[in-house]
């Protein structure tokens, strides 16, 4: 099994009653690995602001993901830059 390119492990036992807030940013090597996997020319920035909390038997993760990516134009192959900002809500 291949290790994920961008991962941060947080022990469930470190979560209290209040949400645990984190800011994470991918390092250059992590961004390069993700760019290869997704067929992108490059990822200049990949970051997330996250709140982790226990909700009953589940762990909830809410936050916002932000990225600056460069992909190849499907017609010309020329680099096309894009800014992405998206909220997310995940339960484990």
């Amino acid at each position: 099994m291949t290790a994920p390119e961008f991962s941060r492990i947080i022990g469930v036992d470190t979560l209290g009653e209040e949400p645990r807030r984190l800011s994470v940013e991918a390092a250059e090597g992590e961004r390069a690995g993700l760019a290869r996997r997704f067929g992108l020319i490059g990822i200049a920035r990949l970051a997330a602001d996250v709140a982790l909390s226990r909700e009953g038997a589940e762990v909830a993760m809410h936050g916002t993901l932000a990225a600056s990516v460069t992909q190849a134009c499907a017609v010309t192959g020329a680099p096309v830059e894009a800014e992405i900002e998206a909220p997310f809500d995940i339960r484990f």
Side-chain angles (χ1 to χ4, degrees):
M1 181 174 187
T2 304
E5 296 91 340
F6 180 47
S7 175
R8 302 296 184 269
I9 298 172
I10 306 296
V12 174
D13 60 340
T14 67
L15 300 177
E17 291 184 24
E18 296 297 316
R20 181 170 176 191
R21 300 195 182 283
L22 304 166
S23 291
V24 294
E25 191 152 349
E28 184 177 345
E30 293 169 320
R31 294 189 316 268
L34 288 167
R36 276 191 300 277
R37 176 159 47 124
F38 294 119
L40 298 168
I41 294 171
I43 301 173
R45 180 174 176 268
L46 176 62
D49 289 318
V50 177
L52 291 164
S53 59
R54 289 183 181 206
E55 293 184 4
E58 298 179 329
V59 172
M61 183 167 64
H62 313 278
T64 303
L65 177 74
S68 299
V69 301
T70 304
Q71 60 187 5
C73 174
V75 176
T76 67
V80 177
E81 295 183 6
E83 296 291 323
I84 300 164
E85 188 167 321
F88 61 87
D89 183 5
I90 302 170
R91 300 214 183 310
F92 301 95

